[in-house]
Amino acid sequence: MALAAAAALAIGLAAAGCGGDSGDKATGAGQGGFRVPKVPMQKSLGKGEGQVNLVAWAGYAEDGSNEKTVDWVHPFEKQTGCKVNTKIAGTSDEMVALMKTGQYDTVSASGDASLRLIASGSVAPVNTALVPNYADIFAGLKNKPWNSVNGVPYGVPHGRGANLLMWRTDKVKQAPDSWGAVFDPNSPYKGKVTAYDSPIYIADAALYLMSSRPELGIKDPYALDQKQFDAAAALLKQQRGIVGEYWSDYTKAVQSFKSGDTVLGTTWQVITNYVLDAKAPVKAIVPKEGSTGWSDTWMIAAKAKHPNCAYQWMNYIVSPKANAQVAEWFGEAPANAKACQETSDEKFCDTFHATDETYFSKVHFWTTPIAQCLDGRKDVKCVDYAKWTQAWTAIKG
């Protein structure tokens, strides 16, 4: 991972820019306390440039190469004449680093990357008038702290989901209901526990401490003062003794659960799907403490070389049919409300709580930590992402 680049961007997030602009008006200081760099908003769509370069999570731009029947890229290419070139990224830090190269037009950024991209001037505000399908996006996904600044959208919501606790039902004797299972220093599954390999995983420890150590006063796992942060880091250093593998490549996580090298740990629904398809007995849940999670947003590069094809892609990928296909393949709640009418499984949106805001109120979506405490505290500074990155390196050793 480009940890140095991520740290530099995080520092920039705390003190980015001196002015802001979204098209014709200045946005000034963002809700996170940073000022938005001057990046113009596209006014109108022109002719497609013939191609579009994506940075995406695995499973978001399927072209039939992984499964012949799973292909929404070729229909887009046929419809628009824009050839899709996809670079798969394993982590948000990698996405940020790739977008900084200037080689890519759009990215499916999660909340722990989106604010960094905005603050660094790497992405532009999105003209939603050029994205007709934006009108049908769930209201619960629009104008959130991780995809907008002062009401100005910087992307098109793609979907959302929770980070889950998964275990091998044939190996773990007692079904866990708490994240405490992955933080127990005396775990009988020492060496077979897995955790997500990213500084943002510190939030998972903070989330657990919210209920296990209420005296710390943690209200938001992404808004940690020094004492709270030190407690989360200490818990993760303790956890290091039982972790057999940290994962960022979901295919390796799948293989590890399939083989039994891993029997317990953090997962995504797509990993669960693959492991179950391989006939390995697993179960995944949102534990009683709730969970962290992702809400991904398609963002357009500030200096996109193929902006018209990028806008066409953003509109297409959240169209009802395509959004339904992605959601079912990846295992997440779709962003487009009309996608629920297009899923092959008529109960899919119920299963993934697509319309259930009460369910998602238990999910703390990835958000970039900054010095201005995101929980509203004014009398103390919080630990920013640069320090999260440094701490994560030390935690893993």
Side-chain angles (χ1 to χ4, degrees), residues 23-39:
D24 295 327
K25 65 177 183 177
T27 60
Q31 66 267 45
F34 63 91
R35 294 184 70 84
V36 184
K38 186 176 181 179
V39 179

Side-chain angles (χ1 to χ4, degrees), residues 29-231:
Q31 66 267 45
F34 63 91
R35 294 184 70 84
V36 184
K38 186 176 181 179
V39 179
M41 177 190 289
Q42 186 160 333
K43 301 294 186 182
S44 60
L45 282 183
K47 183 179 180 181
E49 300 86 359
Q51 64 177 317
V52 61
N53 299 325
L54 316 178
V55 176
W57 292 113
Y60 276 13
E62 292 295 307
D63 61 2
S65 57
N66 289 316
E67 180 102 20
K68 289 183 178 179
T69 59
V70 181
D71 179 3
W72 46 86
V73 165
H74 285 112
F76 168 78
E77 292 177 332
K78 184 177 181 180
Q79 175 182 317
T80 65
C82 299
K83 184 180 186 301
V84 175
N85 305 306
T86 304
K87 173 67 176 179
I88 300 300
T91 68
S92 289
D93 288 347
E94 188 178 354
M95 285 186 171
V96 171
L98 287 169
M99 289 301 288
K100 287 288 289 182
T101 69
Q103 298 176 23
Y104 301 94
D105 301 303
T106 182
V107 58
S108 62
S110 294
D112 58 329
S114 52
L115 286 187
R116 285 185 276 163
L117 291 168
I118 294 169
S120 66
S122 298
V123 295
V126 168
N127 186 344
T128 57
L130 305 181
V131 186
N133 287 309
Y134 186 83
D136 298 317
I137 299 295
F138 284 111
L141 286 170
K142 293 180 177 178
N143 295 320
K144 294 301 178 181
W146 57 84
N147 61 23
S148 66
V149 176
N150 295 335
V152 178
Y154 273 76
V156 178
H158 168 98
R160 54 183 167 176
N163 292 317
L164 306 173
L165 173 62
M166 185 164 79
W167 66 96
R168 285 277 303 239
T169 57
D170 60 336
K171 305 290 185 181
V172 176
K173 296 179 180 179
Q174 185 172 354
D177 66 353
S178 165
W179 286 113
V182 301
F183 292 117
D184 179 5
N186 301 312
S187 172
Y189 310 108
K190 179 178 180 180
K192 292 183 178 293
V193 175
T194 192
Y196 187 52
D197 189 1
S198 170
I200 206 66
Y201 184 66
I202 294 171
D204 290 62
L207 176 67
Y208 176 62
L209 292 173
M210 285 173 67
S211 58
S212 64
R213 291 188 58 189
E215 71 276 10
L216 288 169
I218 300 174
K219 304 299 182 185
D220 182 332
Y222 307 102
L224 306 176
D225 61 35
Q226 195 63 56
K227 181 180 179 181
Q228 295 166 340
F229 183 82
D230 290 345

Side-chain angles (χ1 to χ4, degrees), residues 22 64 76 151 167 176 181 218 223 231 235 263 283 305 318 322 356 358 373 393:
S22 287
F76 168 78
W167 66 96
I218 300 174
L235 180 60
V263 301
K283 185 174 182 179
K305 295 177 181 177
V318 296
D356 188 351
T358 299
C373 294
T393 301

